[in-house]
Amino acid sequence: MVKFGDKIARLGVIGALAAGLGAAQPALAQGTIKVGVLHSLSGTMAISETTLKDTILMMVDDVNRKGGLLGKKVEAVVVDPASNWPLFAEKARELLAKEKVAAVFGCWTSVSRKSVLPVFEELNGLLFYPVQYEGEESSRNVFYTGAAPNQQAIPAVEYLMSKDGGEVKRWVLAGTDYVYPRTTNKILEAFLKAKGVKPEDIMINYTPFGHSDWQTIVADIKKFASAGKKTAVVSTINGDANVPFYKELANAGIKATDIPVVAFSVGEEELAGIDTRNLVGHLAAWNYFQSVKNADNSAFIKQWQSFIKNPKRVTNDPMEAHYIGFKMWTQAVQQAGSVEVDAVRQAMYGQKVAAPSGFVAAMNTNHHLSKPVMIGEIRGDGQFDIVWQTKGAIKADAWSPFIPESSKLVADWSYPWVCGNCTAPKFKSLAN
Amino acid sequence: MGALLTPRGWWALIGSGLIAAVGVPLANLLPAPGSALHLPDYMVPLLGKYACFAILALSLDLVWGYAGILSLGHGAFFALGGYCMGMHLMRQIGPRGVYGHPVLPDFMVFLNWKELPWYWQGFDQFWFAALMAMLVPGALALAFGYFAFRSRVTGVYLSIITQALTFALLLAFFRNDMGFGGNNGLTDFKDILGFPVQARATRLGLFVASVAALGASFLICRLVVASKLGRVLLAIRDAESRVRFLGYSVTNAKLFAFVLSATMAGVAGALYVPQVGIINPSEFSPANSIEIAIWVAVGGRGTLIGAVAGAGLVNGAKSWLTGVAPELWLFALGALFVVVTLFLPRGIVGLAARWKAREP
Amino acid sequence: MIVMFRFLACLWFLLAAPAFADPLADLIPKLGRGGFADKAEVAAELGALGDGRAIAALRALADGKLVTRADGSVAIAEPAGEGVKLAHPLTGADLGTSAADTVERIRINNRLRAAIAAALGALQIFSPNPEERLAAAREAAKAPTPELALALDKALAAETVPAVRAALRSAQAAVQLSVGTIEQRIRAVEALSAATDPQVRNLLRQVAQAAEAPAELRAAAETALRSIERRLQLAGLAEILFQGVSLGSVLLLAAIGLAITFGVMGVINMAHGEMIMIGAYTAFVVQEIFRAYLPPDAVDLYLPAAVPAAFLAAALVGIALERGVIRFLYGRALETLLATWGISLMLQQAVRSVFGAPNKEVANPAWMTGGFEPVGGFFVAYNRLAIVVFCFLVLGAIALILRRTAFGLHVRAVTQNRDMAKAMGIPVARIDALTFGLGSGIAGMAGVALSQIGNVSPNLGQIYIVDSFMVVVFGGVGSLLGTLAGAMTLGVINKLLEPVAGAVLGKIVVLAAIIVFIQRRPRGLFAPRGRAAEG
């Protein structure tokens, strides 16, 4: 036993040493274009992020099948930042400095993005960030393909205020205590007050990450709603906590016709983990739903299901964001004729993609997309019925006009601004 | 025991310190990129991070390996030290934040805070932040340890309440109302002592500082371990009641080790933050603290060099495996822990000792 | 049946007699046209018509089974193989089958859904099914419009089921609050004052605050309000206590297996959470097997089958773990932490590889869905109640096993004095393996229960592991009674604090309290006494 153990250990040590040496070697330049995939495959965020990793692998596979990019094959470099925020920064550095990837597709939580942001700015990398987020940011090294608050939260609230939405008068803003819900609720509060909602008709509630016992809060919501005015819940509850929340909601007999719940982080993938028969009618606001009917979307769904070899797998909004982001990046690379970051960035502005949502998504000079806003009601089969959508694509605000400090700021990376958070352009016009 | 180090030990310590503190910067600066000897830029903060983890492992080894106190909340002291440094770095940003406020960090502007809370005062001074990075964890350890050791909370009970401590702090720091940036924590640092944190020279400087701190920590631990107090601690670990009956103050001895250890962990945290560029509440998570214990166990509990080796090995393996085997690395790491416990009860240092003993 | 038809006929003549053409036949196709607002109007008109033939179409619309066909007509569609089977919305006549893509499902939204519910309420008040009548009466109380008065009077006169009668009466009172003479209105207020229902409270508040209402009516409403408020407050307190017990039982279930592997055997089992996870995934697998191979109405029975399956699955993994790793580590308690942590990482990743990272859906069986209100303002969800009961059953079973069986005797002997037990001829190794298997198996059963209220994901175990250790240590290592007391105390305190301090601060306070408590009683609530206490 001892001898055997010894041998194994010795092998292990040798292996580890060899590995350390191997890691220190600079990667050899190859005839491929590398893209980094920086999504957690383990830890708490793996639930959501694994799917996005697979989405990028599918897109890479697709582009290679069509002959690659600039005559080269595209190679995905997958790493696992393990839902550990400092590790995100370390892995980002590894992808950019060691693997020399042309672009990185990754991150889900705001804190992971904040953690890698200095790395991308220092090493001049490109990050495509596919998740709806709080805005208040525009980095020249990040393209934000998810929704900003004005592309999700405000239209949803406007819908609920309308006659079709049930003329809601009283609001519960329930969220997980972190920056996205805080920002969204701050914007919504300002918006609601501007619309004449009284402060006593707004209840704000924050819960910790992974909150699992929702009895008290659901009871509170019921109590708040029993005051006689039509009440709705605006939920910015994050990932993991949603399943117990919705289960509690369903069992507490809260029907969508009584107290509708509109969520910004619950899509098809999250619903696949919940029995939705008792949640019919609750809402979600996104820029894409799987139930959208058009040829691009059917192709997208088919491509995904055959890639993942599971005809039941669903598509969702962040996946569509990655689809748009990856397509745009390949187009920009072709246009620039190179994967060099500065050239690609310039080529990104104005880039258009026919998105599965049925609209044309366009990249703006504030590094955010123009996308449509859709509001869906949950069906019994875990899909959404689209009950309202914008006429056209809405341009994302990097800086919210509803927050006093940020309303002054402008994000525009084209001449003469060339800035993500400025109150005046960087360059003065030469004519004057 | 007796002497602080054997002559050979001194040579080894100074030698490895020099290799790390001088060799790494030289390997990074001198050879041309691409040459086999060149140490790429991205490795420098990585190695600096390992050095910080090694200090942290040393600090836990001091209390666990020598005094038998298994703290499953040592990450809390590390994180507190990190937050102190993070607060200083935030204050250094000054008006360069996105909202351009001269004093308040961005997240405070955003949460409509009008002035700096009292506990942020003074952190604009480096010396104050550095002092606090040691004092805050030390004071917490003193208060916590005083009550716990006086009440003779031992063994697994102590482990669990230290876990409760770090878990409570995790939840507290998550709260945006606390004034520490909530889940996002503190990030987007610009410079430290006037040097931009992203510059290569600053990185190397921080790395050298970390290695120096590691060397100093090692010596301090060695000093404690080799002293009479160290022998009392060992005795406490092996038979606490007997030591007490012999008239030694078990509480004071443990308290000293615990506070010293927490202070070291605080220093490690303070050095860690500028190198990774972010400090946030996840550092308080109980899982992180358990991992520290695992580094020590893998390296070899009760040997200082083992703690350092364990921190390096486990973290190196993690860095490497998450890159090359993103879907399988947890199997490899998990198996490593099982194999080490089953076959190497004294860690890799024990293995080395066994090899040595076998040599003629 | 006859009663229903009589009343339907009665209503029919009352409301629709002057029309010669069939207004229903005109209205139903309109459900397929226009926006949600137009359809909601049509639904309201259908309700006002009072013609029971509309019920089928309205229900189909609510269930998403009403479709428009290529020619613009409307039909009720039932899925049949690849296509759909169509039926006439009014007569139910078979319209044959057609391909699924030739018909368009009529989409609805919440506004339309509410209009349908109101219309169905008006129509179903004379339904032969008492549950439907009850729902209709509740619907009427929700939106007490004067038009309902007549129908409610008639329904009340014919009603025999007490629960429905009570609901009808409060609906009637709610209607009378706004119409009728002062005396009638005051009587209505008095009739309503016995209710314990936030909805009634709102109605009364409206009366009490209405400026045009006579003073005596307002005063009566005030009195009624006060008594309702008082009862609601009591109900609220009862609800908080129940929530506390419910949380306590969740904590207890999560911790009880650990109380055996850690408390009794001294193994710091960091893989305990993963045993819970294995149990939850077993529930998922059993559910999928039932869905695939059994008729739909038997699927709900998956839960009773999942409990023993989860016990076995987790127990087998536990025994393998004990034989493969832990048995080499007895006496080195802290090192079990390291090994089991490694195992926990591997188990998580294994589940992630096999089942995928996203959450898995485990449905509540119908009998565990929803809940009831013993009194208004105090809601008990069936799944929560079931978990409380299950938790005590499990605890009782373990106590019986440990106290009343030879195996239990051996377990206690081995934990108290291993060498002596060995000397007495007890097969120590086998007892170790079986004890660890028992603890793991219980964790597996807990997993089935937890799958009913939370997510089934590879991280499931991590959610409960810290709490489980807190409970066991707080209660006192080695004492099942302590674990019970610990879990219930923590659960109730948490729930009492949460409304006051909020979820986060409440939890911090509880953790701080545990730390302070351990200083006072370093061995937990129920400290072991005697020799065993010296560790």
Side-chain angles (χ1 to χ4, degrees):
Chain A
M1 207 63 189
V2 171
K3 271 195 178 162
F4 178 62
D6 255 351
K7 255 183 201 162
I8 286 186
R10 228 182 278 193
L11 279 175
V13 172
I14 292 166
L17 283 174
L21 286 175
Q25 295 285 336
L28 294 170
Q30 284 154 358
T32 59
I33 296 175
K34 284 184 179 180
V35 293
V37 184
L38 188 63
H39 283 300
S40 298
L41 310 180
S42 58
T44 50
M45 289 313 296
I47 289 181
S48 306
E49 291 193 62
T50 314
T51 308
L52 295 184
K53 176 218 51 172
D54 289 329
T55 309
I56 290 299
L57 293 185
M58 169 185 89
M59 300 301 293
V60 167
D61 182 58
D62 182 57
V63 87
N64 284 337
R65 246 177 240 209
K66 290 173 182 159
L69 206 52
L70 305 179
K72 292 178 181 172
K73 267 201 167 323
V74 180
E75 180 196 344
V77 182
V78 180
V79 293
D80 178 16
S83 311
N84 175 334
W85 319 134
L87 196 58
F88 262 93
E90 182 190 318
K91 290 284 135 192
R93 192 174 285 282
E94 184 183 315
L95 284 174
L96 294 174
K98 183 179 151 207
E99 302 287 350
K100 309 250 186 276
V101 297
V104 175
F105 295 82
C107 295
W108 182 290
T109 59
S110 288
V111 55
S112 65
R113 190 190 67 250
K114 292 271 185 209
S115 171
V116 301
L117 195 64
V119 178
F120 277 90
E121 291 185 342
E122 178 193 341
L123 301 174
N124 194 22
L126 268 188
L127 172 69
F128 285 80
Y129 176 67
V131 183
Q132 79 285 1
Y133 86 118
E134 65 277 3
E136 304 295 296
E137 192 180 297
S138 175
S139 163
R140 70 194 281 263
N141 296 94
V142 183
F143 284 102
Y144 308 80
T145 54
N150 72 315
Q151 289 175 315
Q152 209 183 7
I154 289 181
V157 167
E158 273 179 327
Y159 170 74
L160 287 175
M161 286 178 140
S162 74
K163 204 150 189 219
D164 262 349
E167 293 173 288
V168 173
K169 301 271 185 266
R170 220 163 137 81
W171 302 86
V172 179
L173 309 181
T176 305
D177 191 2
Y178 74 110
V179 63
Y180 169 62
R182 287 256 173 191
T183 318
T184 307
N185 288 347
K186 188 173 172 174
I187 292 170
L188 286 181
E189 207 184 342
F191 177 78
L192 288 173
K193 284 182 180 159
K195 290 270 175 186
V197 177
K198 290 196 205 91
E200 67 263 26
D201 283 334
I202 302 175
M203 169 176 142
I204 300 184
N205 180 292
Y206 290 109
T207 38
F209 274 92
H211 192 62
S212 59
D213 192 281
W214 289 92
Q215 299 180 86
T216 308
I217 287 152
V218 167
D220 281 353
I221 290 173
K222 253 184 166 175
K223 223 176 276 162
F224 187 77
S226 72
K229 288 184 191 165
K230 178 77 180 174
T231 307
V233 179
V234 179
S235 155
T236 38
I237 295 163
N238 176 275
D240 244 7
N242 272 307
V243 177
F245 174 64
Y246 277 101
K247 282 193 176 172
E248 197 70 48
L249 213 57
N251 285 313
I254 294 183
K255 292 213 171 63
T257 43
D258 304 330
I259 310 173
V261 177
V262 58
F264 306 141
S265 314
V266 176
E268 290 85 351
E269 176 114 332
E270 286 74 19
L271 288 185
I274 316 176
D275 175 15
T276 56
R277 282 171 300 179
N278 297 308
L279 296 172
V280 170
H282 289 302
L283 306 110
W286 290 106
N287 309 123
Y288 164 83
F289 285 110
Q290 188 182 350
S291 61
V292 171
K293 283 205 165 67
N294 65 56
D296 286 324
N297 190 33
S298 310
F300 175 52
I301 296 168
K302 212 174 138 200
Q303 186 189 1
W304 169 242
Q305 289 173 344
S306 66
F307 177 81
I308 209 79
K309 297 188 185 70
N310 180 353
K312 283 185 187 160
R313 276 298 283 270
V314 293
T315 56
N316 66 8
D317 181 279
M319 285 175 63
E320 193 233 6
H322 253 350
Y323 174 93
I324 297 171
F326 191 88
K327 284 242 154 153
M328 276 189 179
W329 175 76
T330 52
Q331 291 174 9
V333 166
Q334 281 173 328
Q335 183 182 329
S338 129
V339 292
E340 206 262 319
V341 167
D342 292 315
V344 172
R345 173 172 34 236
Q346 288 306 319
M348 279 295 291
Y349 304 134
Q351 208 60 254
K352 290 190 172 73
V353 165
S357 63
F359 290 72
V360 172
M363 181 53 76
N364 301 302
T365 51
N366 65 359
H367 280 219
H368 290 67
L369 285 175
S370 291
K371 298 207 282 186
V373 184
M374 303 176 176
I375 292 170
E377 283 188 2
I378 296 175
R379 296 199 314 228
D381 62 354
Q383 289 288 331
F384 289 88
D385 260 343
I386 298 162
V387 293
W388 181 87
Q389 66 181 24
T390 47
K391 300 241 159 23
I394 304 279
K395 186 184 166 187
D397 290 334
W399 301 98
S400 174
F402 290 98
I403 295 176
E405 298 82 25
S406 81
S407 61
K408 299 170 256 178
L409 297 175
V410 171
D412 187 345
W413 290 98
S414 64
Y415 188 84
W417 280 87
V418 200
C419 183
N421 56 327
C422 290
T423 47
K426 201 168 179 180
F427 299 98
K428 288 213 172 77
S429 174
L430 291 174
N432 299 338
Chain B
M1 300 286 159
L4 191 50
L5 287 176
T6 58
R8 218 177 121 192
W10 275 110
W11 281 117
L13 178 71
I14 293 169
S16 53
L18 276 182
I19 289 175
V22 180
V24 164
L26 286 182
N28 179 236
L29 292 173
L30 292 184
S35 101
L37 287 176
H38 177 71
L39 185 80
D41 282 347
Y42 75 90
M43 287 294 287
V44 175
L46 201 58
L47 291 174
K49 189 168 116 175
Y50 296 162
C52 295
F53 285 155
I55 301 174
L56 182 57
L58 267 182
S59 77
L60 183 68
D61 194 26
L62 182 67
V63 286
W64 184 28
Y66 290 92
I69 310 166
L70 175 55
S71 161
L72 291 183
H74 242 55
F77 304 122
F78 177 77
L80 283 173
Y83 263 97
C84 287
M85 185 50 69
M87 284 158 83
H88 171 66
L89 296 174
M90 281 313 263
R91 295 291 311 265
Q92 290 299 300
I93 297 174
R96 284 171 291 175
V98 292
Y99 298 122
H101 194 287
V103 180
L104 293 187
D106 284 337
F107 70 87
M108 288 192 192
V109 178
F110 179 73
L111 289 172
N112 291 333
W113 294 41
K114 293 290 167 243
E115 56 186 58
L116 211 59
W118 60 269
Y119 46 81
W120 274 74
Q121 301 296 340
F123 278 95
D124 48 336
Q125 301 294 326
F126 180 80
W127 65 266
F128 183 80
L131 190 67
M132 282 296 143
M134 293 187 265
L135 276 186
V136 172
L140 176 68
L142 184 68
F144 184 86
Y146 175 72
F147 289 110
F149 300 143
R150 198 192 53 165
S151 317
R152 300 186 194 175
V153 182
T154 52
V156 76
Y157 289 90
L158 188 89
S159 302
I160 298 298
I161 62 167
T162 51
Q163 194 172 51
L165 173 77
T166 192
F167 193 44
L169 283 170
L170 166 82
L171 291 171
F173 274 76
F174 261 139
R175 291 179 37 136
N176 275 286
D177 300 331
M178 277 281 284
F180 293 108
N183 178 50
N184 275 10
L186 311 175
T187 177
D188 203 18
F189 308 132
K190 307 285 187 210
D191 46 32
I192 179 166
L193 290 171
F195 302 103
V197 284
Q198 298 189 338
R200 183 196 255 183
T202 320
R203 287 262 160 74
L204 287 171
L206 282 166
F207 169 75
V208 172
S210 307
V211 171
L214 176 59
S217 307
F218 187 85
L219 280 180
I220 291 172
C221 287
R222 187 70 216 157
L223 196 69
V224 171
V225 169
S227 69
K228 189 180 154 206
L229 176 71
R231 272 170 287 166
V232 173
L233 286 175
L234 270 184
I236 291 173
R237 178 187 77 184
D238 295 335
E240 182 168 334
S241 304
R242 284 190 211 177
V243 179
R244 191 172 271 125
F245 297 149
L246 285 171
Y248 289 100
S249 168
V250 170
T251 308
N252 287 353
K254 276 178 156 181
L255 202 54
F256 174 80
F258 197 57
V259 171
L260 176 66
S261 160
T263 313
M264 275 166 54
V267 172
L271 284 163
Y272 167 82
V273 167
Q275 302 190 70
V276 299
I278 186 169
I279 175 78
N280 72 68
S282 65
E283 301 292 343
F284 285 105
S285 79
N288 276 27
S289 292
I290 291 172
E291 257 190 49
I292 305 169
I294 283 170
W295 305 338
V296 175
V298 167
R301 178 160 81 100
T303 61
L304 295 177
I305 194 73
V308 176
L313 176 74
V314 175
N315 285 297
K318 205 170 163 182
S319 288
W320 179 56
L321 289 169
T322 48
V324 297
E327 318 247 355
L328 298 172
W329 70 275
L330 276 175
F331 288 121
L333 210 61
L336 172 75
F337 300 158
V338 176
V339 167
V340 165
T341 9
L342 284 186
F343 302 113
L344 308 171
R346 284 181 297 140
I348 47 176
V349 169
L351 183 75
R354 229 187 298 172
W355 269 349
K356 215 161 142 192
R358 209 178 289 167
E359 276 167 17
Chain C
M1 219 42 189
I2 294 165
V3 177
M4 182 192 81
F5 278 123
R6 203 184 299 153
F7 277 103
L8 277 180
C10 187
L11 266 176
W12 176 249
F13 283 118
L14 214 81
L15 296 162
F20 289 104
D22 188 351
L24 263 189
D26 294 338
L27 277 176
I28 294 282
K30 285 193 188 164
L31 284 174
R33 281 176 236 144
F36 295 125
D38 307 320
K39 291 174 193 161
E41 255 166 51
V42 176
E45 279 176 53
L46 283 174
L49 270 186
D51 189 333
R53 287 179 298 160
I55 291 179
L58 284 172
R59 257 197 215 142
L61 182 59
D63 295 344
K65 285 178 180 161
L66 201 66
V67 296
T68 48
R69 305 168 71 190
D71 60 358
S73 68
V74 168
I76 296 173
E78 286 288 345
E82 289 293 293
V84 286
K85 197 164 164 298
L86 298 175
H88 192 275
L90 282 179
T91 60
D94 193 351
L95 297 176
T97 50
S98 74
D101 54 358
T102 59
V103 295
E104 180 79 30
R105 190 173 56 87
I106 301 173
R107 280 187 293 175
I108 57 174
N109 73 345
N110 283 327
R111 181 181 176 191
L112 183 49
R113 212 172 269 123
I116 297 169
L120 279 176
L123 295 174
Q124 286 179 342
I125 218 158
F126 303 105
S127 152
N129 181 345
E131 268 176 42
E132 282 176 4
R133 293 201 301 275
L134 187 64
R138 292 218 172 115
E139 201 64 43
K142 240 186 238 177
T145 50
E147 296 84 60
L148 282 170
L150 192 58
L152 281 172
D153 289 345
K154 283 183 188 290
L156 200 51
E159 188 56 67
T160 50
V161 181
V164 185
R165 272 190 78 84
L168 281 171
R169 195 161 285 140
S170 61
Q172 193 187 34
V175 172
Q176 281 171 351
L177 268 185
S178 52
V179 295
T181 63
I182 303 268
E183 289 75 44
Q184 272 179 330
R185 290 172 78 183
I186 290 181
R187 235 178 299 134
V189 166
E190 277 158 8
L192 286 176
S193 73
T196 312
D197 186 345
Q199 208 137 30
V200 173
R201 182 197 57 195
N202 295 339
L203 285 173
L204 287 173
R205 197 179 277 157
Q206 274 169 18
V207 174
Q209 287 167 353
E212 24 73 39
E216 54 206 291
L217 178 61
R218 289 219 302 259
E222 290 282 356
T223 327
L225 258 181
R226 268 197 297 278
S227 81
I228 291 182
E229 291 281 6
R230 202 169 46 238
R231 281 196 306 274
L232 277 179
Q233 234 162 23
L234 279 178
L237 190 67
E239 188 172 73
I240 290 178
L241 283 179
F242 175 74
Q243 288 170 352
V245 171
S246 165
L247 177 61
S249 63
V250 167
L251 289 175
L252 180 55
L253 268 177
I256 208 165
L258 193 69
I260 292 177
T261 52
F262 169 55
V264 177
M265 302 180 74
V267 176
I268 304 182
N269 185 11
M270 296 308 291
H272 171 71
E274 278 58 47
M275 299 298 157
I276 298 179
M277 173 189 77
I278 288 173
Y281 273 92
T282 312
F284 169 73
V285 170
V286 172
Q287 171 192 268
E288 291 304 298
I289 292 173
F290 270 57
R291 278 185 183 167
Y293 297 109
L294 289 179
D297 47 338
V299 169
D300 272 355
L301 293 174
Y302 84 90
L303 205 57
V307 172
F311 179 86
L312 277 181
L316 286 178
V317 175
I319 290 173
L321 194 61
E322 201 276 343
R323 286 291 88 187
V325 177
I326 289 166
R327 70 170 161 145
F328 303 109
L329 302 173
Y330 286 119
R332 295 193 275 155
L334 291 175
E335 276 165 54
T336 57
L337 171 122
L338 180 66
T340 51
W341 179 256
I343 288 162
S344 131
L345 292 184
M346 289 195 280
L347 284 175
Q348 277 176 49
Q349 193 61 20
V351 165
R352 211 172 269 132
S353 310
V354 175
F355 292 95
N359 283 315
K360 289 290 168 207
E361 181 238 325
V362 177
N364 287 148
W367 52 272
M368 264 175 81
T369 306
F372 66 103
E373 278 190 326
V375 288
F378 172 20
F379 186 86
V380 177
Y382 290 129
N383 64 345
R384 294 268 169 195
L385 191 64
I387 286 176
V388 173
V389 172
F390 180 68
C391 160
F392 281 97
L393 286 179
V394 169
L395 191 70
I398 298 166
L400 273 184
I401 289 174
L402 287 183
R403 297 273 148 214
R404 292 271 180 275
T405 65
F407 168 66
L409 186 70
H410 291 173
V411 170
R412 282 181 290 142
V414 171
T415 46
Q416 275 168 16
N417 194 327
R418 209 181 170 75
D419 296 330
M420 192 63 82
K422 211 174 198 169
M424 301 291 285
I426 295 174
V428 174
R430 219 179 74 206
I431 293 296
D432 281 336
L434 288 178
T435 316
F436 201 85
L438 176 70
S440 304
I442 291 163
M445 294 203 293
V448 179
L450 296 180
S451 74
Q452 296 300 307
I453 54 165
N455 25 5
V456 178
S457 79
N459 306 329
L460 173 68
Q462 297 296 306
I463 302 173
Y464 292 103
I465 187 76
V466 175
D467 282 339
S468 304
F469 271 101
M470 297 293 161
V471 166
V472 174
V473 165
F474 177 69
V477 174
S479 161
L480 277 183
L481 197 61
T483 309
L484 169 68
M488 287 302 158
T489 318
L490 291 184
V492 172
I493 291 180
N494 225 321
K495 284 292 140 186
L496 285 175
L497 278 173
E498 204 179 312
V500 191
V504 191
L505 215 52
K507 193 142 194 203
I508 295 173
V509 171
V510 168
L511 287 168
I514 292 178
I515 295 176
V516 172
F517 180 83
I518 293 292
Q519 321 273 8
R520 299 252 125 235
R521 294 185 68 127
R523 305 243 145 212
L525 263 179
F526 286 69
R529 285 186 210 94
R531 249 170 204 282
E534 289 169 23

